[in-house]
């Protein structure tokens, strides 16, 4: 150690340490501070005050300073770790540095060289400085991980059966806190029943949100300086190209929860103005094994679905916006049909849940594996049941209808708002009316509504006229008891879980006649109502009347 360091010389002259202490122990200026504060009457706080007095440098209290507000361009981890100096802020061409050693001029010059700025120094409490540096960089405190959490989530395993890159092991050794933090976030999402995770970088902040019961909630805000390391870690887990930050990428992660249970995550990256946004969809195969009885179908709706599944041929269409539960409805039907005597093939984009006994094909436009081409291949494979992830164009629609007319049961989805609109959408695509009328057997339009928490829901009193305006009958409005969300420690904003709301419309001869003569969706909807098929609004009001969900939630999902 250089005995000419002004800090060391000064404290030797004051008798707090001896030249032998420095020579024998090879002390750095940092360890000199630790030695002085541990073997004298100095605390780290009084040592900082003494340095301020001796070297005429302003004293600053770091206790109330939040390092997360430090501009990201000032964060150079190697410099901060090497010199134990915290860049605090920038004003014009001046960089303000917090240090416990106001005589470390080589370090100040190093910061000036790397930033191109002049420096001004304030002296701070050494212990507080180390704490703030850890908060910014070390992640064990900056990422809000306790020692117990670090130990718990360091054991989470990623399934590497598909192979990993050679540098993955090195990455994990160097970035352990980030690895543990991401594992914790994934496990928290699973425990809270989230369907999606959003990792979002902004100019000065970073946000992590979970979609729980269809609604996004902010759950964490790690330092923005960690944005690159977080995205890099997730991309390593999903076996994506870490160097490619200009193009969207898609991948998958298999997280081992126990020896027998794994959860799949579908990963999508998107370059944004301030870094890569990452969205992860949780693909829990147990959701596809729920069984039709717990999905929320009314008794008569369930019978219509089961009867359609029992037919040897025809087309069943499930419709609704993204996130309305169409995939679970389709997989539930496929599970019912999944018997050794049936050959079932699916074309999906992407394959979300792996099902044993079903031949699943991943759509790949680059390899010319489109829905239409997959369907053509299926029809040469002696199929009994075919599932098409989505009918997007006329070619796919025509092949699907042809399959339904030639002895195959076809299941698929469309993005429409109601069952009657699905029929007119097929007609607008260019499918002849007689093909639609003769092939489509059942249409299910659906939404997902949040279930009220049974622990805290409260009765809601509404005027009779308001209930009638909402769609309840006069008789219902006189004796109806509705419930509203309240909120407790067992739920999220008064809701816990979701339930399906369905419009199940069978294509009867009367509806087929309207299709054949070119009728519009309003005529089909009117005939469907006359024949006793409840629309989404009426099905939702039934759920509210039973106390399963609130009227406010039904209004939200049915856009009333």
């Amino acid at each position: 150690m250089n005995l000419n360091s002004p800090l060391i010389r000064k404290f030797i002259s004051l008798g707090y340490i001896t030249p032998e202490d420095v020579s024998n122990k090879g002390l750095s200026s940092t360890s000199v501070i630790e030695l002085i504060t541990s073997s004298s009457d100095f605390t780290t706080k009084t040592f900082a005050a003494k340095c301020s007095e001796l070297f005429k440098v302003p004293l600053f209290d770091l206790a109330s300073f939040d390092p997360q507000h430090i501009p990201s361009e000032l964060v150079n981890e190697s410099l901060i770790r090497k010199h134990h100096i915290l860049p605090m802020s920038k004003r014009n061409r001046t960089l303000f540095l917090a240090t416990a050693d106001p005589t470390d001029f080589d370090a100040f010059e190093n910061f000036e060289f790397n930033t191109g700025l002049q420096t001004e120094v304030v002296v701070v409490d050494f212990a507080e400085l180390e704490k703030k540096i850890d908060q910014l960089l070390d992640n064990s405190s900056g990422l809000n991980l306790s020692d117990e959490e670090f130990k718990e989530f360091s054991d989470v395993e990623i399934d590497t059966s598909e192979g990993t890159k050679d540098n993955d092991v090195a990455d994990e050794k160097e970035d352990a806190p980030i690895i543990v933090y991401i594992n914790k976030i994934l496990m928290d999402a699973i425990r809270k029943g989230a369907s999606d995770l959003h990792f979002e970088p902004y100019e000065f902040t970073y946000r992590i949100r979970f979609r729980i019961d269809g609604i996004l909630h902010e759950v964490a805000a790690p330092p923005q300086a960690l944005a690159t390391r977080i995205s890099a870690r997730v991309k390593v887990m999903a076996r994506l190209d870490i160097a490619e930050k200009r193009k969207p990428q898609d991948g998958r992660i298999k997280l081992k929860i126990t020896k027998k249970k794994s959860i799949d995550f579908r990963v999508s990256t998107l370059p944004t103005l301030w870094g890569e946004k990452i969205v992860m969809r949780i693909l829990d195969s147990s959701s596809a094994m729920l069984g039709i009885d717990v999905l929320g179908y009314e008794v008569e709706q369930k019978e219509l679905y089961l009867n359609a599944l029992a037919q040897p041929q025809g087309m069943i269409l499930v419709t609704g916006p993204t996130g309305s539960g169409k995939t679970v409805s389709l997989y539930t039907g496929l599970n019912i049909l999944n018997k050794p005597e049936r050959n079932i093939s699916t074309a999906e984009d992407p394959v979300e849940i792996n099902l044993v006994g079903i031949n699943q094909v991943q759509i790949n436009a680059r390899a010319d594996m489109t829905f239409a081409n997959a369907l053509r291949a299926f029809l040469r494979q002696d199929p009994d049941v075919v599932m098409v992830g989505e009918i997007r164009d006329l070619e796919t629609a025509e092949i699907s209808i042809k399959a339904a007319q030639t002895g195959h049961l076809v299941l698929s989805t469309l993005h429409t708002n109601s069952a009657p609109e699905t029929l007119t959408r097929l007609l607008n695509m260019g499918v002849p009316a007689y093909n639609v009328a003769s092939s489509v057997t059942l249409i299910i339009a659906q939404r997902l509504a949040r279930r009220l928490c049974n622990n805290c829901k409260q009765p809601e009193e509404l005027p009779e006229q308001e209930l009638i305006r909402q769609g309840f009958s006069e008789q219902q409005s006189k004796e109806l008891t509705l419930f509203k969300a309240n909120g407790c420690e067992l739920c999220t904003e008064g809701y816990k879980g979701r339930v399906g709301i369905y419009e199940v419309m069978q294509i009867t001869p009367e509806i087929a006649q309207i299709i054949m003569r070119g009728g519009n969706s309003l005529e089909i909807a009117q005939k469907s109502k006359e024949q006793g098929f409840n629309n989404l609004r009426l099905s939702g009001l039934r759920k509210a009347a039973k106390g399963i969900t609130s009227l406010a939630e039904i209004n939200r999902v049915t856009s009333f």
Side-chain angles (χ1 to χ4, degrees):
M1 177 64 201
N2 184 6
L3 291 173
N4 291 322
S5 164
L7 181 75
I8 293 176
R9 285 205 322 268
K10 177 62 72 173
F11 281 87
I12 287 176
S13 68
L14 293 174
Y16 293 109
I17 53 174
T18 66
E20 288 74 21
D21 288 329
V22 179
S23 300
N24 294 341
K25 298 182 181 179
L27 295 176
S28 65
S29 60
T30 298
S31 49
V32 165
I33 296 171
E34 293 173 333
L35 178 68
I36 294 171
T37 54
S38 63
S39 62
S40 69
D41 294 332
F42 278 117
T43 64
T44 54
K45 185 173 290 188
T46 56
F47 178 82
K50 189 67 175 177
C51 284
S52 175
E53 175 192 337
L54 291 173
F55 300 105
K56 310 304 181 190
V57 177
L59 180 66
F60 182 80
D61 183 7
L62 266 183
S64 59
F65 178 72
D66 186 353
Q68 292 189 23
H69 294 154
I70 296 172
S72 59
E73 71 271 14
L74 301 181
V75 179
N76 184 321
E77 183 173 357
S78 60
L79 277 180
I80 294 171
R81 291 287 190 201
K82 179 180 179 181
H83 299 296
H84 294 268
I85 290 176
L86 187 69
M88 297 173 62
S89 63
K90 180 177 71 172
R91 185 183 303 159
N92 297 325
R93 300 296 302 164
T94 301
L95 174 64
F96 291 88
L97 301 175
T99 179
D101 177 5
T103 68
D104 194 356
F105 302 114
D106 289 340
F108 309 150
E109 289 179 3
N110 208 343
F111 271 90
E112 289 179 353
F113 178 80
N114 279 273
T115 63
L117 303 172
Q118 295 178 340
T119 58
E120 282 196 22
V121 177
V122 294
V123 65
V124 296
D125 179 346
F126 174 71
E128 192 67 38
L129 176 64
E130 293 292 280
K131 179 180 175 183
K132 295 298 182 182
I133 289 175
D134 283 346
Q135 188 174 340
L136 179 66
L137 300 177
D138 187 50
N139 309 327
S140 60
S141 106
L143 295 177
N144 300 318
L145 287 172
S146 66
D147 292 339
E148 293 77 11
E149 288 174 324
F150 196 95
K151 182 178 180 181
E152 175 185 358
F153 296 109
S154 62
D155 295 333
V156 177
E157 293 184 34
I158 306 300
D159 189 337
T160 57
S161 57
E162 297 181 28
T164 56
K165 299 175 183 176
D166 292 337
N167 63 347
D168 286 358
V169 176
D171 289 340
E172 292 191 10
K173 290 180 179 178
E174 294 172 7
D175 231 2
I178 285 286
I179 293 170
V180 175
Y181 182 68
I182 296 297
N183 289 348
K184 177 183 182 299
I185 290 292
L186 298 185
M187 294 298 292
D188 284 349
I190 294 168
R191 290 169 180 171
K192 292 180 179 180
S195 60
D196 302 85
L197 298 80
H198 292 241
F199 296 79
E200 301 169 317
Y202 298 98
E203 184 174 9
F204 301 116
T205 59
Y206 194 92
R207 178 172 70 173
I208 299 176
R209 295 189 290 172
F210 292 168
R211 188 177 294 279
I212 301 172
D213 296 336
I215 306 294
L216 281 169
H217 302 271
E218 184 171 339
V219 296
Q224 201 279 341
L226 299 175
T228 302
R229 294 166 67 187
I230 289 174
S231 63
R233 173 56 190 165
V234 174
K235 288 164 76 174
V236 166
M237 295 169 73
R239 292 180 284 278
L240 300 178
D241 185 353
I242 301 175
E244 180 55 75
K245 300 179 181 179
R246 298 168 300 171
K247 297 179 182 178
Q249 297 187 67
D250 296 295
R252 291 176 79 101
I253 297 171
K254 184 182 285 290
L255 198 69
K256 289 185 177 179
I257 308 301
T258 65
K259 289 183 178 180
K260 295 184 178 180
K261 181 175 176 63
S262 296
I263 299 288
D264 285 342
F265 294 80
R266 191 179 77 210
V267 181
S268 171
T269 71
L270 177 70
T272 67
L273 190 60
W274 305 110
E276 289 181 283
K277 171 170 179 175
I278 297 174
V279 176
M280 304 172 71
R281 166 68 58 88
I282 299 179
L283 308 174
D284 187 357
S285 58
S286 62
S287 64
M289 311 297 179
L290 292 175
I292 195 170
D293 292 323
V294 300
L295 296 184
Y297 286 96
E298 302 292 337
V299 174
E300 63 275 15
Q301 293 175 333
K302 183 179 76 170
E303 289 301 317
L304 287 171
Y305 191 17
L306 292 175
N307 288 339
L309 290 171
Q311 300 301 313
Q313 67 182 54
M315 179 181 287
I316 299 172
L317 295 174
V318 182
T319 77
T322 301
S324 60
K326 299 188 299 294
T327 300
V328 172
S329 285
L330 283 176
Y331 280 142
T332 300
L334 289 176
N335 272 324
I336 293 171
L337 294 168
N338 191 8
K339 308 290 182 185
E341 63 269 18
R342 290 195 182 98
N343 177 21
I344 303 175
S345 296
T346 72
E348 304 172 62
D349 185 21
V351 176
E352 294 193 0
I353 298 172
N354 298 323
L355 299 175
V356 177
I358 294 177
N359 309 290
Q360 297 172 278
V361 173
Q362 170 70 54
I363 296 303
N364 185 348
R366 291 182 181 178
D368 202 29
M369 178 57 79
T370 61
F371 281 116
N373 288 340
L375 269 170
R376 288 192 185 95
F378 289 167
L379 295 178
R380 296 191 291 270
Q381 293 262 315
D382 184 30
D384 295 300
V385 179
V386 170
M387 193 271 271
V388 186
E390 183 184 350
I391 295 178
R392 298 176 179 172
D393 50 51
L394 176 59
E395 184 181 21
T396 306
E398 286 181 334
I399 299 172
S400 299
I401 284 174
K402 186 176 183 180
Q405 291 174 330
T406 55
H408 308 96
L409 182 62
V410 179
L411 289 78
S412 190
T413 71
L414 275 171
H415 283 91
T416 57
N417 291 325
S418 68
E421 289 177 29
T422 304
L423 295 168
T424 54
R425 173 70 192 282
L426 288 172
L427 296 173
N428 291 338
M429 276 186 180
V431 180
Y434 62 86
N435 280 342
V436 175
S438 62
S439 60
V440 179
T441 57
L442 190 77
I443 301 175
I444 301 171
Q446 67 180 78
R447 302 288 189 275
L448 288 177
R450 291 177 293 172
R451 287 180 181 268
L452 282 168
C453 173
N454 289 324
N455 184 61
C456 66
K457 67 180 181 182
Q458 294 181 339
E460 180 180 26
E461 293 185 7
L462 291 173
E464 187 175 326
Q465 286 303 115
E466 175 62 17
L467 292 174
I468 293 172
R469 189 186 75 83
Q470 291 282 343
F472 292 103
S473 67
E474 289 189 22
Q475 182 63 33
Q476 281 180 310
S477 60
K478 291 177 181 177
E479 40 190 57
L480 190 63
T481 300
L482 297 177
F483 291 87
K484 63 181 179 180
N486 184 34
C488 67
E489 68 280 358
L490 300 179
C491 63
T492 304
E493 298 178 351
Y495 296 96
K496 189 174 183 180
R498 289 192 287 179
V499 64
I501 297 172
Y502 304 92
E503 175 183 13
V504 181
M505 185 178 76
Q506 184 181 12
I507 307 304
T508 63
E510 293 79 9
I511 293 176
Q513 286 179 3
I514 297 175
I515 298 169
M516 291 291 289
R517 61 177 172 80
N520 58 37
S521 60
L522 293 177
E523 293 178 75
I524 297 171
Q526 181 59 38
K527 178 58 68 175
S528 173
K529 185 177 180 181
E530 291 174 4
Q531 296 192 320
F533 303 132
N534 285 339
N535 60 24
L536 282 168
R537 177 71 185 171
L538 291 175
S539 294
L541 292 178
R542 276 194 178 187
K543 295 289 191 299
K546 293 177 180 178
I548 297 173
T549 188
S550 66
L551 184 58
E553 180 67 2
I554 296 303
N555 289 340
R556 182 183 72 85
V557 299
T558 60
S559 304
F560 182 73

